[in-house]
Amino acid sequence: MLSGISGSVEPDIAPDTFEVIGRILKARSGFTLDGYKDKCVKRRIHIRVRATHSPSPEAYGELLTRSTAEQDHLLRVLTIHVSHFFRNPPVFEKLGAEILPQLFEQRDQLRALSVGCAGGEEPYTLALLMKERFPAAIDAGRVTILGVDVDTAILEQAREGLYHPDRLAELPPGVLERWFAPEGSRYRLCRELREQVHFEHADLNHRQGWDPCDLILCRNVLIYFERERQETVLNGFADALSPGGYLVLGKAETLFGTARKRFRTICPVERIYRAL
């Protein structure tokens, strides 16, 4: 997922240079700039312009053409991942206390999707929450959790389940000791919970549909897309959710347009919606 970075206003990047950069990235990894807000993307490109001491965006474009290493650097900047376990704890408290009990009562199988899952912190948080509060459902094989992201490299890291302590700072008491093992200066999530989550590459610019779901978390991802693409993605979520399924957005996101008519607001503070 793309994440926000603040900074001073940079000189604009000429359309032809921006197009060249987009073509290079697509050829390198399949990642496209279509649908992302230009200002957001251009700020990140300027990070690499400065880092490579390129005298101009045009010169940087020429460097990018020659250097696959720089292409990889730019891709990492464009898909910066900032996440941690139990990010925004009230969301997971609401899920654990109200949403998940209802879903488990109504469904034999529960299918959850984490979009823009970065290093796996969010889908693994769901796995931890369910194992702690609904162990019988997990042990009976009633749960499927899928994490998707545009960055294939970060997904490989997610599968490893190895985290720096700063990603674990908001774990509830005792969770670290029960489910993580220290490895040097980091901690690895236990195999049982790692195997509970599956990971796939997905680009919201090109995703045509999703497998049926009961719960979708897509937090702080849509804000980096143009409004038209946001609406398309939200309607795609509505198509995928079973009747009565839930969608959780980020605090800076909300429903709008045609998608608004397809959900009922459950918790406006935590941006939790239920599919009609």
Side-chain angles (χ1 to χ4, degrees), residues 14-137:
D16 56 343
T17 301
F18 191 73
E19 183 180 350
V20 166
I21 292 172
R23 286 203 306 267
I24 292 170
L25 294 178
K26 186 173 183 179
R28 177 65 174 166
S29 69
F31 177 80
T32 71
L33 301 179
D34 301 336
Y36 287 110
K37 294 177 180 177
D38 281 356
K39 290 182 179 179
C40 176
V41 172
K42 288 177 179 178
R43 283 199 300 270
R44 287 153 184 77
I45 293 173
H46 277 293
I47 290 173
R48 293 308 304 167
V49 172
R50 294 193 298 270
T52 57
H53 305 288
S54 298
S56 67
E58 291 73 23
Y60 177 73
E62 294 175 4
L63 169 64
L64 201 65
T65 303
R66 302 189 306 269
S67 172
T68 56
E70 182 54 33
Q71 293 167 21
D72 292 339
H73 279 304
L74 180 58
L75 282 165
R76 283 194 292 271
V77 169
L78 288 172
T79 55
I80 291 171
H81 303 278
V82 180
S83 189
H84 51 268
F85 281 78
F86 288 88
R87 177 167 57 94
N88 189 7
V91 169
F92 291 100
E93 183 56 40
K94 189 83 171 178
L95 289 174
E98 300 179 27
I99 305 303
L100 290 175
Q102 185 178 82
L103 288 174
F104 279 123
E105 182 178 346
Q106 297 173 347
R107 291 157 167 79
D108 292 331
Q109 295 289 323
L110 193 156
R111 300 152 299 181
L113 172 66
S114 170
V115 180
C117 69
E121 293 90 345
E122 183 173 88
Y124 284 143
T125 296
L126 278 178
L128 280 165
L129 181 64
M130 293 183 194
K131 183 65 176 176
E132 291 267 301
R133 299 201 184 189
F134 311 97

Side-chain angles (χ1 to χ4, degrees), residues 140-206:
R142 294 177 57 196
V143 176
T144 301
I145 303 173
L146 175 64
V148 302
D149 201 276
V150 70
D151 186 339
T152 54
I154 203 70
L155 290 174
E156 286 302 316
Q157 295 179 31
R159 292 183 181 99
E160 291 296 317
L162 188 62
Y163 297 97
H164 190 274
D166 63 1
R167 302 297 177 96
L168 309 172
E170 294 198 68
L171 287 175
V175 170
L176 181 66
E177 293 77 13
R178 285 192 292 272
W179 304 110
F180 292 82
E183 289 191 18
S185 62
R186 296 188 289 177
Y187 292 85
R188 191 181 299 275
L189 183 65
C190 71
R191 180 183 295 275
E192 177 186 358
L193 290 176
R194 294 203 311 273
E195 292 178 346
Q196 187 63 51
V197 179
H198 303 279
F199 294 97
E200 290 182 5
H201 173 266
D203 185 340
L204 292 185
N205 271 316
H206 301 292

